[in-house]
Amino acid sequence: MEVNADDFFKAAALDKPRVTNKVGSNVTLINVMQIPGLNTLGISIARIDYAPLGQNPPHTHPRATEILTVLEGTLYVGFVTSNQPAPNRNKFLSKVLNKGDVFVFPVGLIHFQFNPNPHKPAVAIAALSSQNPGAITIANAVFGSDPQISDDVLAKAFQVEKNTIDWLQAQFWENNHN
Amino acid sequence: MEVNADDFFKAAALDKPRVTNKVGSNVTLINVMQIPGLNTLGISIARIDYAPLGQNPPHTHPRATEILTVLEGTLYVGFVTSNQPAPNRNKFLSKVLNKGDVFVFPVGLIHFQFNPNPHKPAVAIAALSSQNPGAITIANAVFGSDPQISDDVLAKAFQVEKNTIDWLQAQFWENNHN
Amino acid sequence: MEVNADDFFKAAALDKPRVTNKVGSNVTLINVMQIPGLNTLGISIARIDYAPLGQNPPHTHPRATEILTVLEGTLYVGFVTSNQPAPNRNKFLSKVLNKGDVFVFPVGLIHFQFNPNPHKPAVAIAALSSQNPGAITIANAVFGSDPQISDDVLAKAFQVEKNTIDWLQAQFWENNHN
Amino acid sequence: MEVNADDFFKAAALDKPRVTNKVGSNVTLINVMQIPGLNTLGISIARIDYAPLGQNPPHTHPRATEILTVLEGTLYVGFVTSNQPAPNRNKFLSKVLNKGDVFVFPVGLIHFQFNPNPHKPAVAIAALSSQNPGAITIANAVFGSDPQISDDVLAKAFQVEKNTIDWLQAQFWENNHN
Amino acid sequence: MEVNADDFFKAAALDKPRVTNKVGSNVTLINVMQIPGLNTLGISIARIDYAPLGQNPPHTHPRATEILTVLEGTLYVGFVTSNQPAPNRNKFLSKVLNKGDVFVFPVGLIHFQFNPNPHKPAVAIAALSSQNPGAITIANAVFGSDPQISDDVLAKAFQVEKNTIDWLQAQFWENNHN
Amino acid sequence: MEVNADDFFKAAALDKPRVTNKVGSNVTLINVMQIPGLNTLGISIARIDYAPLGQNPPHTHPRATEILTVLEGTLYVGFVTSNQPAPNRNKFLSKVLNKGDVFVFPVGLIHFQFNPNPHKPAVAIAALSSQNPGAITIANAVFGSDPQISDDVLAKAFQVEKNTIDWLQAQFWENNHN
């Protein structure tokens, strides 16, 4: 089978600001589904747009580490370490990033980015160490799954009343990654 | 350096029921910290105890797939798939497991086990595909991190008022994995 | 393709004692052939039953490390290190395991478990670091292969007369793993 | 050892245009030497500046695939496939990339980027699938090594006279990656 | 730290016939212990000498596949597949190899080489897919370990009397790999 | 599907000297295309013939480390390290190898072998850490690709006039690996 340049290429993939969603972000991921030549090569790339005060909400990538750099604006970013002996148990590590700063989110850890500027959008480029990194938006997966997770389970896990869980599950959980 | 059998051994590791925590479970993980001979070998094992109506709350393992079998009692278990095109977007896959049933939780996905029996405890053995799988209890990492994640960020991500977040962050988030 | 919970599940896989074979054991392995969702995930699980004085005879897993815990009874277990400079050349490392003890058999090394109790059976759960670990029972592979290995070769390798090899090859070598 | 955010962060890493070298480019790579938290995580990121008519000359990354997107300007990019049966032997695959286009250079293959615009600079972000991808600028490694490769060998390999090789080896081969 | 060519080099490693051992072979392995530059690179190489009627007796490499080519003489070689469903259960695959023939022994499977010529020696080069492949000579590991494996276990596993095992364990099991 | 020995075997693969090409060498590689049983096993093997004063010209393997031993004659071999901080930047490491010497070429680095003897041929066996290592002959890939790389790009990269590049591209670039 003859290969050609189109197998390794995606035009106009990451150039334009995209309309942001309800929480104020839009992730455009270019992975092996868009570029078949990425198969077995262990990498993908994304552009992320942030509205003023928008966020890419707490999420994980089950199969990839992410390295991010800011192209425009300012981002407040962070991740939480896993359950482990002190002093690193559930530690929240955060930074305010300006243009050109680089930050790393290790594989599988919960992380987010937030644009603290009330007036200006922000833009970042993120690279991920998998041809198909996956994304799990925490609130959506926990409260917006189909079918819903039992409210008995979630009420106890989150230390709230069942009707709080029911209320959360009744919200609209818009997809914000693919 | 001479090796010996103690490098590959942990006595009385998984034999006894352990006192369960606030949400009704106790995970006893034997990984490379307990058995140094596991270094580079890509596996670890755990016993999980569940009180009546207890749960091992929604969590992920950032570096391992888990395969679980029930030793005693009954468990309602499930995981949520990642954000991806339909028909598999944030799909909740669940089963009721009886003694000897086997279930798999793929690497990095949010999963839980719940003991639906109000009178009897349950016990499971779980194996994980890493010498140091890590564990992230979702509620603890999101609401119980140190320092806390900004309530602005969490309020928007979870579609609740900031004072709900503040209330959640004020709870006691007991560690339930190591 | 839509996934569902049955792709990650095997009912009644490991609950019941199985009839043991000629050497007094029975290995029930749940791997990717039983649970297709294990594909690429690097783990599998087994229950092993041991008759009184039964054994899981010397064998290797060509593609996996094993971690084992005893559920019932007592096991005398061990493995032999590979050919390497002293002090670790062909060293036999062994332990007597009781309920809840954990032991590791590193990838590819010859190991066995033996139930020293003349009256009571034993049961163990073992996890393996591959979706398809493979098993090579040494005596069966050496003396029970199809076709047979040349008795010239085996006589010299085992430092016995050819008729001893012929006698061994004439025995019934019952399969005891899959 | 306590981790902190600085282990995963590099300030002002990729924000500013850098002075380009003799061939009109400048690669600023952020790898595990700049961000220690990248250890074992399999990814790094770079900014590449191109002068008008500048190039990032033919080179390879011995341990990484690269995925690149253009931030400003236009780039003519390409790679050459390896020696293999037709129709893919030493095939040159190329594209003109505009802002937001994405292109992949598979691990170990010779590739380059060239800014065809005589008046405007260009800028790209590239991600690499290794914490330490390495870079081998072909001309520099072949003609600018220390000590020099025998001119007998190079003359025959490149089908030129030895004095052509000697002349090439006498040039100044400025480093253009780290 | 400055690297130099000696880190990637071993002089006179594989040139000369070596005195063969009791079973008529001698394996000279060049791995990361002899060439430190092999660290993390996943390969090693060996020369094997065979006396007339000599053999490299049944053994496994716990961490490597082997690919072998004959330099001089003739070899009868084979391996036994693992325990698996028919038609591939404990199947013995063999070939007579002449000079320049190539054969593969997959990772962890029991294999041997035998020189069927009563008058002439044979020589092979073998490459292994690990910087430290390990070798387990079956007879030596089973009957010549230190300390010895229980004769109760071995008698049952090999379907022989305990005094046969005792006799075997009393032999001299010369090391024939390192 | 039943396996058989032919899946792991290639007859008369590496026994005979082959006619050498224009630069005086011939590489005969046995990889997964010749031996299907190599699939997923991470290794391949080659014989290399060298005419008097012949060379295996500067090339890389994008997916494998190579370990080589000389069977006949003498070889002058070397590789160039990648761009990195001093003292290891573009350092040329070389050795003269005699029969039985072993040398390692790390994954992706530019290397060559040259037979300095004006009268006698040389022969080597090389093993590679991939089932499909790939080979990129530098001069052929740079000057002999199809279609050709822009002479603007190459003239600047190699610090020569465009007509020198045009002359090089007009030569016949014979394939010398597969």
Short mmCIF file of all heavy atoms in Angstrom, two decimals, chain A residues 69-70 94 140 143 159:
data_model
loop_
_atom_site.label_atom_id
_atom_site.label_comp_id
_atom_site.label_asym_id
_atom_site.label_seq_id
_atom_site.Cartn_x
_atom_site.Cartn_y
_atom_site.Cartn_z
N THR A 69 1.45 24.40 26.67
CA THR A 69 2.05 25.74 26.66
C THR A 69 0.98 26.75 26.28
O THR A 69 0.08 26.46 25.50
CB THR A 69 3.27 25.82 25.74
OG1 THR A 69 3.94 27.06 25.99
CG2 THR A 69 2.90 25.73 24.26
N VAL A 70 1.06 27.92 26.88
CA VAL A 70 0.07 28.98 26.65
C VAL A 70 0.47 29.78 25.42
O VAL A 70 1.61 30.23 25.29
CB VAL A 70 -0.02 29.90 27.88
CG1 VAL A 70 -0.98 31.06 27.61
CG2 VAL A 70 -0.46 29.11 29.10
N SER A 94 -0.20 23.76 41.74
CA SER A 94 -0.78 24.71 40.78
C SER A 94 0.20 25.82 40.41
O SER A 94 1.18 26.07 41.13
CB SER A 94 -2.05 25.31 41.36
OG SER A 94 -1.73 26.12 42.48
N ASN A 140 -18.82 15.25 34.52
CA ASN A 140 -19.66 14.61 33.51
C ASN A 140 -19.70 13.09 33.68
O ASN A 140 -20.76 12.47 33.56
CB ASN A 140 -19.13 14.90 32.10
CG ASN A 140 -19.21 16.37 31.76
OD1 ASN A 140 -19.10 17.22 32.65
ND2 ASN A 140 -19.42 16.68 30.49
N PHE A 143 -21.57 12.46 37.22
CA PHE A 143 -22.99 12.84 37.35
C PHE A 143 -23.76 12.78 36.04
O PHE A 143 -24.98 12.86 36.03
CB PHE A 143 -23.10 14.24 37.96
CG PHE A 143 -22.50 14.31 39.33
CD1 PHE A 143 -21.35 15.05 39.58
CD2 PHE A 143 -23.06 13.58 40.38
CE1 PHE A 143 -20.78 15.09 40.84
CE2 PHE A 143 -22.49 13.61 41.64
CZ PHE A 143 -21.35 14.36 41.88
N GLN A 159 -20.50 12.52 50.28
CA GLN A 159 -20.95 13.01 51.58
C GLN A 159 -22.05 14.06 51.45
O GLN A 159 -22.01 15.10 52.12
CB GLN A 159 -19.76 13.59 52.37
CG GLN A 159 -18.62 12.60 52.54
CD GLN A 159 -17.62 13.04 53.62
OE1 GLN A 159 -18.00 13.37 54.74
NE2 GLN A 159 -16.35 13.01 53.29
#
